[in-house]
Amino acid sequence: MKREKFGSKFGVLAAAAGSAIGLGNIWRFPYIAGQNGGAAFIFIYIIFVAVLGIPLMISELTLGRHTRANSVGAYKVLRPNSKWKYTGTLAVITSFIILSFYSIIAGWVCAYLQQSITGKLIKVVPSELESYFTNLSSNTGSALFWNAIVIGVTAFIVISGIQNGIEKYSKVLMPILFFTLIALMIRSLTLDNAKEGLEFLFKPDFSQLTTKSLLEALGHSFYSLSLGMGIIITYGSYIGKKENLATLSLQIIIADTLMALMAGMVIFPAVFAYGFEPQSGPSLIFITLPAVFQAMPLGAVFETLFFLLVAIASITSTMSLLEVSVSCITQEFKVNRKKATILLALGVFLLSIPSTLSFGLWSEVQIFGMSIFDFMDFIASYAFLTIGGGLTCVFVGWIWGSQNAFKELTSDGIYTMKGFKVYDFIIKFIAPIAIGLIFLHSTGIIKL
Ligand code: PHE
C-alpha cells in the first residue's frame, strides 16, 4: 500500500503544530504556571523544551520518516522480531487513553462555545458560575453528548486521510486560531492594570520554585509538544524526504511555546485586571474566565472568540491522537481507513464513559485514591507518556543509533547540519535520566 504524504510544507507544520497546540497550552499551561509561581516556572519550562524537547522531537520525526511506518511498525522495521514493538503498542494505548479523557474536556469547551454563541453563558452571575460548570460536567447525558460531537468531528476529519483530512483542516484552522489569539491578546493587554498580569507572567520569583515544579515543567513539556505517544512518529511517516526536519522541529517547538505564552498573556492580564486569583487550577478557564469576560466591555464577543479558540486547538489535537491508532490498525492489520476510524472512534467513546461518569454518578468511585478521570489522566499522561518518551530515547540513542537518526535528519546528506555531538549526548544520557526522574516522581516512587 502506498503511504500517504503531506502535500505542502505549511500543511506539515500546521498539522504538527496543531497537534502540539491544544488544551495543554491554553488550559493546562496557564494554570500550572499560575500554581507554580508564574515566570520562574515558565523560565524552567522553556529550558526543558529547548534542551529535551528539540532532540526528542527530532528523534520521533526521523524515526517516522525513515521507516515510513506507524508507531508500532517503525520499531518492527528497524528491529524485527524484537520486543521493541511494544514501545509502539504502548504509544498507541497511551494516545487512545488520552483521547478518551481529552475529548471530555474538549466537549465541555464546545458546550461553553455553544452557550457563548447563544449568549447564555454571559448572563450567568459570577457567584453561580461554579455550579453552572459543575452542572455541565456532572450531567452525564449532556457531557456525553458533547463528547460524542468532539469524537464525531475528529473521526470525520481523520476518515478523509492525511492530505484531504488532517492537513486540509489544519491549514484552515491553525491560522484562525492564531489570529483569534492575537485579537484576544490585544484585548487583554490593553485593559487597565494589564501590567500586573504581565509581571506575574514574566518577572521570575525563583523562591516559588520547588523540585516538584521542576518535574512538573518537564512532564508538561512532553505533553504539550505531543511527544512520547507516537504522534510525531506517525506524522513523521507522512513527511517527504525533502523536508528539513530540523527546521520543522524548531518551528513546531517555537509555535507551541509561543502559543502557550500568548494564552498566558490573554488570561493573566484579564484575571488580574478584574481582581481574580490566578491559582484557581483546572477551573481557571471554566469558572474564572467567564466571570472576567462578564466584567469586560463586549465580553460576550470575546468570550465566544475565546472558546472558539480553545475548541479549534482541541480538535487539531484530538485528530492527531486518533490518527496514531488509525495509522497503526490500517498499516498493521490492513483494515481500510474508514472502517478503522469508525471502530476506533466508537471504542474511544466507550472508554470515555467511565471517566465522564466520574464527574457525576460515579464520583465516589476511587482507583488508588483517584477518581476514574484522574486515574486515566495519571496513567496515560504521567506514567505511560514518560515511559514511552524514555524508551524512545533509549531506542534511538542506543539501538537504532543516534548517527542513523542524524543521517535521516540531514535527509541523507541533502542538508548539512552541525550539532551531532550535542544531540548524541542528550539523547543517550541526559534525556533518559531526566525522563526516568519524572517517571519516578510522577508515579510517587520518589517523593520530593
Ligand atoms: N499537545 C497537546 C496539548 O498541548 C496535548 C496532546 C496530548 C495532544 C497528547 C495530543 C496528544 O494540548
Side-chain angles (χ1 to χ4, degrees):
M1 207 171 19
K2 201 171 164 313
R3 191 140 187 92
E4 275 202 78
K5 262 202 190 131
F6 284 112
S8 67
K9 260 192 173 23
F10 178 65
V12 179
L13 177 63
S19 168
I21 298 162
L23 290 167
N25 304 59
I26 303 170
W27 168 67
R28 199 163 179 245
F29 179 80
Y31 87 71
I32 55 176
Q35 288 173 329
N36 286 283
F41 177 84
I42 294 175
F43 179 77
I44 300 295
Y45 173 79
I46 291 178
I47 294 184
F48 285 141
V49 165
V51 177
L52 298 174
I54 297 176
L56 191 52
M57 177 74 68
I58 287 177
S59 303
E60 290 205 16
L61 280 172
T62 50
L63 201 52
R65 184 173 73 177
H66 185 78
T67 56
R68 310 203 47 211
N70 63 84
S71 63
V72 175
Y75 293 95
K76 279 176 51 182
V77 170
L78 293 171
R79 285 296 173 272
N81 306 322
S82 78
K83 294 215 164 54
W84 279 103
K85 61 174 178 282
Y86 297 118
T87 307
T89 315
L90 180 70
V92 173
I93 296 173
T94 310
S95 59
F96 200 76
I97 300 180
I98 292 187
L99 181 55
S100 79
F101 62 79
Y102 198 88
S103 64
I104 299 176
I105 306 172
W108 298 342
V109 170
C110 291
Y112 265 56
L113 173 62
Q114 186 249 357
Q115 286 150 21
S116 309
I117 295 173
T118 57
K120 206 168 143 209
L121 182 59
I122 202 80
K123 292 206 196 89
V124 183
V125 287
S127 57
E128 305 262 295
L129 277 166
E130 188 164 352
S131 56
Y132 187 80
F133 174 62
T134 322
N135 281 343
L136 169 78
S137 52
S138 64
N139 180 337
T140 309
S142 77
L144 281 180
F145 168 78
W146 288 107
N147 183 10
I149 298 230
V150 170
I151 296 177
V153 172
T154 307
F156 172 79
I157 297 175
V158 170
I159 275 186
S160 311
I162 299 306
Q163 270 194 34
N164 292 324
I166 293 181
E167 179 172 0
K168 187 168 110 190
Y169 288 93
S170 304
K171 270 165 50 180
V172 178
L173 292 174
M174 292 314 284
I176 301 181
L177 178 131
F178 183 69
F179 289 112
T180 315
L181 198 52
I182 300 262
L184 286 166
M185 205 171 74
I186 294 176
R187 168 64 286 195
S188 238
L189 293 179
T190 49
L191 290 169
D192 291 339
N193 280 333
K195 237 182 70 221
E196 217 182 316
L198 282 182
E199 267 175 19
F200 175 75
L201 258 184
F202 293 117
K203 214 163 135 204
D205 170 8
F206 285 93
S207 67
Q208 295 269 358
L209 270 192
T210 58
T211 357
K212 185 165 169 273
S213 10
L214 293 187
L215 294 170
E216 212 163 322
L218 192 52
H220 182 70
S221 63
F222 288 168
Y223 184 86
S224 185
L225 294 171
S226 299
L227 293 170
M229 64 194 106
I231 290 181
I232 303 294
I233 298 181
T234 308
Y235 275 14
S237 73
Y238 301 124
I239 298 178
K241 263 292 191 236
K242 293 213 185 76
E243 187 78 37
N244 184 335
L245 293 183
T247 316
L248 178 67
S249 307
L250 276 182
Q251 287 167 336
I252 302 171
I253 285 177
I254 291 173
D256 186 69
T257 310
L258 201 68
M259 297 288 177
L261 292 177
M262 283 165 71
M265 284 192 263
V266 169
I267 294 174
F268 291 116
V271 167
F272 278 93
Y274 293 104
F276 290 92
E277 287 299 317
Q279 290 96 347
S280 63
S283 61
L284 186 66
I285 72 165
F286 294 107
I287 298 174
T288 312
L289 279 192
V292 171
F293 286 122
Q294 250 174 36
M296 196 183 265
L298 285 183
V301 175
F302 290 109
E303 182 159 75
T304 307
L305 280 181
F306 180 79
F307 285 106
L308 176 72
L309 167 83
V310 192
I312 292 179
S314 313
I315 292 290
T316 49
S317 297
T318 52
M319 60 203 200
S320 70
L321 283 164
L322 186 59
E323 178 60 26
V324 174
S325 39
V326 168
S327 162
C328 173
I329 302 292
T330 49
Q331 207 178 17
E332 298 300 312
F333 299 101
K334 312 275 178 272
V335 179
N336 77 41
R337 176 171 276 272
K338 189 167 171 195
K339 207 161 149 196
T341 310
I342 294 176
L343 284 176
L344 288 163
L346 282 175
V348 164
F349 181 72
L350 290 179
L351 185 62
S352 71
I353 294 176
S355 301
T356 308
L357 281 169
S358 74
F359 291 98
L361 230 51
W362 290 3
S363 59
E364 305 293 311
V365 180
Q366 299 240 318
I367 309 177
F368 298 117
M370 290 174 261
S371 73
I372 302 174
F373 180 96
D374 289 343
F375 177 73
M376 293 291 207
D377 185 15
F378 172 78
I379 278 286
S381 318
Y382 289 95
F384 290 175
L385 192 70
T386 39
I387 297 177
L391 288 175
T392 309
C393 291
V394 172
F395 182 80
V396 172
W398 299 94
I399 311 292
W400 181 34
S402 35
Q403 68 290 355
N404 290 324
F406 207 77
K407 186 159 166 261
E408 181 63 48
L409 183 68
T410 63
S411 300
D412 293 334
I414 302 184
Y415 301 102
T416 29
M417 275 175 212
K418 295 203 190 83
F420 172 69
K421 284 211 174 103
V422 179
Y423 170 72
D424 184 52
F425 186 66
I426 293 180
I427 221 63
K428 281 197 178 124
F429 301 102
I430 309 271
I433 294 173
I435 296 171
L437 278 179
I438 318 181
F439 176 72
L440 294 175
H441 167 75
S442 54
T443 48
I445 297 175
I446 49 170
K447 293 227 184 329
L448 294 163

